[in-house]
Amino acid sequence: MTNNNLSVISLISIGEHPTSRRPRRAEQDARAVELGLKLAGERLKALYAGTIESPSIEVALRSYLGMGLAEINILNLSDPADATLALAEHLKAERPDMILTGVRAENGESSGMMPYLLAEQLGMSVITSIVEVSSIDKVTQQAEVLQALPRGQRRKLKIKLPFIASVDMAADAPRQSAYGPAMRGKLVMNQLSVQVEDTLRSKWQINEGQKRPKRLKIVKAKTAADRFKAATAKVEGGSGKIVHGSSESAKEILKMLIDEGVL
Amino acid sequence: MSSSALLSQIMPILIFVALLLAIIGAVRRALLWSQGQKSTIHWSGILAVPRRYLVDLHHVVARDKYMSNTHVATAGGFVLTALLVIAVYLFDIAAQILNYMLLASTMLMFIGSVFVLKRRKNPPANLSLGPWSRLPKSLLIFSSSFFFLTLPASGLLSDLVPELFSSNIAENIAGNIAGWLMAVVLIAGIIWGLGEMFFGMTWGGPMKHAFAGALHLGLHRRQTRFGGGQSTGLFAIDLAEDKLGVEKPEDFKWNQLLSFDACVECGRCEKACPAFAAGQPLNPKKLIQDMVVGMAGGSDAKFAGSPYPGIEIGTHKGGAIIPIVNGLVEADTLWSCTTCRACVQECPMMIEHVDAIVDMRRFETLEKGQTPGKGSEILENLIATDNPNGFAPASRMNWAADQNLAVLGQDVEKADVLLWIGDAAFDMRNQRTLRAMIKLLRAAKVDFAVLGEQECDSGDLARRLGDEATFQRLAKTNIALMSKYQFSTIVTADPHAFHCLKNEYRDFGGQYHVQHHSGFFADLVKKGAIKLQANKALSLTYHDPCYLGRYNGEYDAPRYLLQAMGIQIKEMERSQTIARCCGGGGGAPVTDIPGKQRIPDMRMADAKETQAEIVAVACPQCSLMLEGVVEPRPEVKDIAELMLDALVEDSTNE
Amino acid sequence: MSDIFRRDPRAEWIARNRLHPMHKPVAEGPVRGPSGLLRKNPHAVGFIGPNGIKRIDRSGASTGGSATRQSAKQTEVILPLHKVDEPDFYIVVALDLVSGRLNGHDKDVLGLAQKLANIDEAKGAVVAVAFGELKEENLDVAGVDRLIHFYTDAYQEYNPEQRCADLQVIVKELQPRHILLPDSINGGGDLGRRLAAKLGQRPACGVWKVNGDQVVCRASAGKNDITRTLPTLMLVLEECSEPVSETRHQSLIMPLNESQEINSTIEDQGNISVDPNAIPLAEAGFILSGGNGITDWANFHSTAKSLRATEGASRVAVDDGNMPRERQVGATGTWVTAQVYIAVGISGAVQHMQGIGKCDKVIAINTDESCDMVKRADLSAIGDSSEILAELVSLVEQNNNEKGADHDQ
């Protein structure tokens, strides 16, 4: 489904691989591009605000071009700058019907605030975690979208154009990035009207993510014996319960299913 | 005018016309080839054609003795006949000796043709029908026509039946009519014969293989594979080009187009192809013929051999400037290939199927971004983490936490042997092999070190999946890394890495002395550095990895090691050069094209036939594929693991 | 408090006087010696066994004893009521209330709110904001001092813009010291960010630890931690704090300011029913997975249907053509995160075990008790899989019917 007079912009960022920490195509942003390509085809515009200092960042940025974009517009910001203002200025001029982006970035603060802040500044509606845009009605200025809920459930929503939507990981996986088009696509530098430094961030202390301790089952035991029991009881993990016989087994399984609340 | 006079007048004209048409056809064919891209022209190869034909080509043909003898008779007879016919009938050289020779050569050709015809009586499925079934008849007609044409001139006949062929035959009306009749039949036969053999040779008949094949042998893209040499590394491409890989037939190199024309449709590739046997939509013979269709334009309806399993013949067409994939050939066909080179090994015309397939895959991956199955995920992982499964690069050495390995750049700056770990580092099954190897190396007191966390995937998988860009990046990274250290030999348990390091890094400035662990250990055993118990009577068969055997010609070292352990190898029917692939190469497990059965299951069935209890392997990919077969099945063990079991610990150590 | 120990002669006297009506509770409570040290009464330990002999059970596992029966009664004690009549400040918590009830995440957020409300002996009140249906009865023990409840029909649906506007009104009125929301996919994450954008405040998202006036937030999609000063608006992760467990709270309904209705640009069309098999395997919460040991695939499919489980398969089952490739679970297929994973006839190859590493509960149905899957499973049923599945289906149907009957009444 490609709509001929629909203008869609996908906002893209540089992701970061969870294990190697190398720059890459961000998974959610790539899904936003994928969704945009399905909606607007070749007329999809991609916009990136950030630094392109290192070659590895350029390679990562080009991997979006490899999905079939002809060009990427770049707002070249130095690192601690606030991307929202620059984006908002640029988008005000563009006036797109739809802005697609990932739910949150893969590096930096990754607060997931970007779509909300842009919506506020541009006066657009905002919607989060969509997986699909099922229809767009330019006459009534409404679009029908599917929103991801936990465990694969979906909610159908109608939303007024223009709007900003963040695309969930449950959306269609992005198409493969092809090397040839990626290298031949254009990176278009745009003029920056504003560049505001993110001063708050410089006060933060950023560390490697600590492993969160698993919450223990707290036993508010009143007696020493209870506390002792709680401390020494076999921790979950050893081999589980084994049952024989089909009716016994079925009963036990049912019990577990009900306990876990999946039925 | 007598019938014989007519014959002697008409013969030069017929031959001249046939030759002229043949030359026109040849030019036309050459123009078709010239649609292809530039490639080095190895003129010196032309001189080597007879040798390559008689030695290299016949070496392959001779794997089928019947066909080899038949072909020697038919082809030898034909070449002689053709030369003599031109000498005798076109240039009118009237030497009696030539007539006798001509009789002999046609006779030889006739005998050969009879055997060709015999073979065609109940042709096996791998042979093409259609024009190829006509060919033996044409051969018979050609040879017999010229035999009978030459018979009177030779004077042999006149001694036997002087009254029929005497000079006063004109007075014999009955004889006259018979003579005219015979002349007409002869002329018809000669026209047929010349048409098939001369005209058809350059205009696309079955005899095209002789003309294109001779040129192809001379101008082959891999000159070094002749005369016992080997050339199996893929060709690199320039990543800055406007189009990467092959989209249309015209994107092939001109000598690749020529090679497609050399195909004789003998179907040996089809018989050898594991994907075809597994019912995946690939038939190497059909693929080459489709390339011929693409080069000349048209549909595949005339193809008279086995189809791609599951795909009907006649539903696809193409042309030189029409994209191949999904017009002429389905993408699944390209992705079914395991790059095992069994087809290339078997091809008597030395056609390079794997090169063509990888060229087309490159376009699919690099330009279209359509690597099927888990391909795109694997490639993304290789780009982001330097290993196909996306493990943290920093965890590459986790398996060896207890091994106390010397890491180049950290613990040492040089070592005799660089142990290349490869992707087995992340796989629990193959870590067992690595551990066994390390114990063996220590037992042999080899000074070795590893690259540690900095080692990257060799790039084999990326390259076979068509991602030349990632391969080149990985290769260059590895080469730059290795250039920092000193070592004399690289040893690896992975034949895929072995092949890349040995044959494919060369194009990027990486020249190394690389040994597969089987070869390296065989040398150590020969030197006495490793002593193996020879008292084990294991019931064992050995599976040749494609990238060790066919790609690098190493069949003996693993067998030597097994024999050194006192094992009598129960060879599978398909072993050594014709060993069946485990199905793990070329990214086939990644692209996972559905078929009727799985290749590893077929290979395991081969192993079961030998009644062996253990399948010895020498490749981490093979061990994974074969262990993936549902039990009960023979146990799968790497050579290194078997060696460790049989190792005699040197007591002087303690 | 003073460190000087003061004797309570009256209590001592009651403890000595066995006939005093207050004797029992006082004597059983902590008894202090003259110097103020706690004294143990050895006579009060243990219970009289069935044959009249006193028994002391130190394992804590005694059954039938009167002592335990007493302690069972004691667990039903009413928690002390924490009263905040004149709060110095407010802490606003907008609850997720999935299907009208507090979930663990909500309780943790309330726990954190109470911690912040009572920091340094402060007297803050936790104001819980509930939208839509509210079925929860235990708001008091979860730590709700005040409750604002929006319950008109409009709130039965997804109307984040309206909710955000309501929160804005509340914030304007109460000027809370902190606003806390669960950073969840159940609405809190969305609502909190909307509010932050409207208020022009920079929230701390992904907060998982509060240390004094510092918060630790997850950043870089979970790879980094940011430590920053405690902001007003916080979106907090699950287990950011212990839930309230020792106090009871007033949960007074707060007078509701007229919420002004705004023009919503989003219209809820309701959830669409999702076929369990249409749920991507990686997202599915309940997976029934089949392997080489399954002989009756029709039975397997029908079981999955009646359990409303998403179907999975082992590699062998896929290779044999019994299941499509995208159903393959494992390192070479899909890595699953199901809450319950039932492995039927799967012995458990290494790659498969890797793929189910993140599953919460694993149930194995297998004929081989020694296989790796049984070793991993939390519950293993040994026997013929089709029999067990058939039995299970009939039990589930019976269970559903009973439930249906309950609803009818």
Side-chain angles (χ1 to χ4, degrees), chain B residues 374 377 389 391 426-428 592 598 601 624-625 627-631, chain C residues 292 315-316 318-320 325 328 330-335 350-351 354:
Chain B
K374 294 197 104 181
E377 196 184 320
N389 291 310
F391 295 106
F426 297 106
D427 182 84
M428 276 150 75
D592 192 34
R598 294 177 70 246
D601 289 350
L624 286 183
M625 294 306 288
E627 280 204 340
V629 176
V630 180
E631 289 182 314
Chain C
N292 198 31
R315 185 188 59 78
V316 179
V318 173
D319 287 346
D320 291 349
R325 181 63 69 189
Q328 186 182 326
T332 46
T334 308
W335 296 68
V350 184
Q351 290 84 354
Q354 273 176 291

Side-chain angles (χ1 to χ4, degrees), chain B residues 598-620:
Chain B
R598 294 177 70 246
I599 298 171
D601 289 350
M602 296 192 310
R603 188 53 173 165
M604 201 42 109
D606 290 350
K608 278 182 188 163
E609 259 174 40
T610 67
Q611 312 269 318
E613 285 158 18
I614 296 175
V615 183
V617 292
C619 168

Side-chain angles (χ1 to χ4, degrees), chain C residues 346-363:
Chain C
I346 300 176
S347 55
V350 184
Q351 290 84 354
H352 195 89
M353 299 312 245
Q354 273 176 291
I356 62 168
K358 281 187 188 156
C359 289
D360 211 18
K361 286 277 189 293
V362 174
I363 301 176

Side-chain angles (χ1 to χ4, degrees), chain A residues 14 31 53 64 67 70 84 112 114 120-121 144 156 174 188 192 237:
Chain A
I14 300 297
R31 281 168 170 78
E53 278 156 15
Y64 289 102
M67 295 174 74
T84 323
M114 175 76 77
E120 194 57 32
Q121 296 194 22
E144 204 172 72
K156 198 196 269 182
V188 184
L192 271 188

